[in-house]
Amino acid sequence: MAAEFESDVVVSETRTSVADAKRIVVKIGSSALTSLVGGLDTDRLDRLADAVEARMRGGTDVVVVSSGAIGAGIAPLGLTKRPQDLATKQAAASVGQLALAHAWGTSFARYGRTVGQVLLTAEDIARRTNHRNAQRTLDRLRSLGAVAIVNENDTVATAEIRFGDNDRLAALVAHLVGADALVLLSDVPGLYDGDPRKGHATLIPEVASPEDLDGVVAGSGGALGTGGMASKLSAARLAADAGVPVLLAAASDADAALTTARVGTAFAARPTRLSARRFWVRHAADVAGDLHLDTGAVRAVVDKRRSLLSAGITGLSGQFYGGDVVSLRGPDGQLVARGVVAYDASELTGMLGKSSGELTPELQRPVVHADDLVPA
Ligand SMILES: Nc1ncnc2c1ncn2[C@@H]1O[C@H](COP(=O)(O)OP(=O)(O)O)[C@@H](O)[C@H]1O
Ligand SMILES: N[C@@H](CCC(=O)OP(=O)(O)O)C(=O)O
């Protein structure tokens, strides 16, 4: 099927940049590595390791983000379906991660290649000050010729510090390691205009801009996957903002995906990537609170890209401090932007609705400066 599709595919700039990338992150979904009855499928894992090894031998640095810990832990624990509650998911992950890391190690050992297991929580990566540790480890593994096998640290990740899905983790890792491309390998040949399990759907080969997604229905995942297509689309957006093109393809097409990139759906990166600071404000930072804006303030910050002044703020919530990232919400509570707030919540409470002239000079700075503000 890959070969048939390959001959028709238009070789866009995006596909060329995935094929030529010098550093890539390859994310492999649970659906590509595990099955409900058989657990971890080491034959499929070997084929994926073959494709990754071939790409590495061609001179590309590859970081693997591998899901499958929970899926691999289901059968050994005598469970029959993917657990729903956090504690059982964590127990399954603790059993499955051991098997998963071992399987990757054994598979790459066929080539004399060493693997390193890197387990991360969103907290490790979300704070700019913390993420340097992860960055250093990944960088050193690369320089030592080992392949990093990354997964979420499921056994300790609580709801607050979870990435939620490995598509998002993979996009953040791509940003973290300065990857030139992200390859998402799943159990579908690419993005369709609707969930292919629900009837006829058409493959979308190229997503050049968000408008190409108009009318696309991104459904939930399979029995083993977490976020379904919606989480892949938001990861693709996140990667695009970081200037990283994305290829979404079937794991069974991994060879083609990692050589010519002439399979699946290619998502173009933004023509101008967000600065590192704005990227973190939009995607990775913890949000410490909310500012509620009136209609005029929404217009000023979203349409005119102005700084947010206290006069347009009608309310706030959360215990935030100056320098924290907050959500900016419109009159109906809808998220309109994120930004770095200049004041503590306690200071700001007394400033709400006041114009600059009504404030003392030290409180006349904008509440969120335009440079620190990213529309949603
Ligand atoms: N518009 C769509 N295009 C392609 N697949 C879709 C779409 N909507 C829902 N899906 C489903 O998403 C699934 C892939 O997501 P998921 O199960 O989370 O995979 P993974 O384990 O690889 O992360 C596919 O099996 C497919 O049935
Ligand atoms: N950390 C979890 C992966 C969760 C996840 O996002 O799964 P998937 O949607 O298959 O990529 C695990 O290893 O089972």
Side-chain angles (χ1 to χ4, degrees):
M1 179 195 157
E4 194 186 307
F5 178 52
E6 262 193 85
S7 55
D8 306 339
V9 111
V10 177
V11 185
S12 61
E13 212 175 290
T14 308
R15 288 186 198 277
T16 307
S17 50
V18 175
D20 294 347
K22 284 281 150 234
R23 183 168 295 177
I24 61 175
V25 172
V26 179
K27 184 264 172 175
I28 302 162
S30 310
S31 56
L33 288 173
T34 58
S35 63
L36 267 183
V37 276
L40 192 57
D41 184 336
T42 48
D43 288 337
R44 280 197 281 167
L45 188 143
D46 281 348
R47 300 291 77 77
L48 289 159
D50 294 343
V52 170
E53 178 65 27
R55 179 77 186 234
M56 290 178 91
R57 290 191 177 200
T60 302
D61 300 328
V62 182
V63 172
V64 172
V65 174
S66 172
S67 300
I70 297 173
I74 293 174
L77 286 171
L79 306 170
T80 50
K81 58 178 179 28
R82 198 176 199 281
Q84 295 305 314
D85 68 291
L86 189 59
T88 318
K89 275 189 202 166
Q90 288 175 318
S94 79
V95 170
Q97 182 61 34
L98 197 67
L100 187 64
H102 183 256
W104 281 114
T106 309
S107 196
F108 276 104
R110 295 174 300 141
Y111 295 106
R113 186 162 315 263
T114 299
V115 307
Q117 172 181 264
V118 178
L119 299 178
L120 298 169
T121 63
E123 254 195 355
D124 299 324
I125 220 170
R127 301 222 170 110
R128 293 193 80 193
T129 44
N130 290 13
H131 81 246
R132 293 196 202 292
N133 285 325
Q135 209 166 34
R136 256 199 308 262
T137 308
L138 290 165
D139 193 54
R140 189 53 54 86
L141 282 168
R142 179 189 59 75
S143 65
L144 292 169
V147 53
I149 308 289
V150 181
N151 196 356
E152 177 154 21
N153 195 352
D154 292 304
T155 56
V156 299
T158 56
E160 297 74 42
I161 59 163
R162 284 187 72 79
F163 292 100
D165 65 76
N166 272 359
D167 299 313
R168 176 175 166 75
L169 168 62
L172 290 169
V173 168
H175 176 68
L176 193 77
V177 301
D180 315 303
L182 169 63
V183 177
L184 300 175
L185 298 176
S186 184
D187 63 346
V188 270
L191 172 69
Y192 287 77
D193 56 0
D195 188 338
R197 288 167 305 183
K198 298 200 170 145
H200 177 75
T202 307
L203 185 85
I204 300 171
E206 208 78 27
V207 178
S209 68
E211 291 75 54
D212 292 342
L213 295 174
D214 287 350
V216 170
V217 180
S220 60
L224 288 156
T226 298
M229 206 38 58
S231 80
K232 289 181 208 322
L233 292 188
S234 77
R237 178 177 179 216
L238 206 152
D241 280 352
V244 178
V246 178
L247 183 70
L248 166 63
S252 53
D253 291 338
D255 281 337
L258 293 179
T259 49
T260 61
R262 287 165 69 173
V263 282
T265 303
F267 297 80
R270 268 166 73 110
T272 47
R273 66 172 71 189
L274 287 182
S275 68
R277 182 171 173 83
R278 296 178 127 228
F279 177 86
W280 285 102
V281 169
R282 178 183 267 179
H283 294 292
D286 295 334
V287 176
D290 294 282
L291 303 183
H292 299 275
L293 277 55
D294 65 21
T295 315
V298 171
R299 215 176 304 122
V301 299
V302 176
D303 301 335
K304 300 184 184 157
R305 303 296 168 99
R306 299 249 170 85
S307 297
L308 175 66
L309 306 176
S310 50
I313 306 177
T314 56
L316 57 86
S317 55
Q319 269 309 321
F320 53 81
Y321 298 95
D324 283 346
V325 173
V326 293
S327 294
L328 275 50
R329 299 191 177 276
D332 301 328
Q334 78 280 21
L335 181 72
V336 295
R338 273 180 169 201
V340 181
V341 66
Y343 301 93
D344 297 352
S346 55
E347 283 174 304
L348 198 54
T349 306
M351 298 163 61
L352 297 184
K354 291 193 177 153
S355 61
S356 301
E358 297 172 87
L359 297 166
T360 55
E362 69 277 11
L363 297 181
Q364 289 180 2
R365 286 167 293 137
V367 177
V368 180
H369 193 278
D371 292 344
D372 290 337
L373 212 152
V374 190

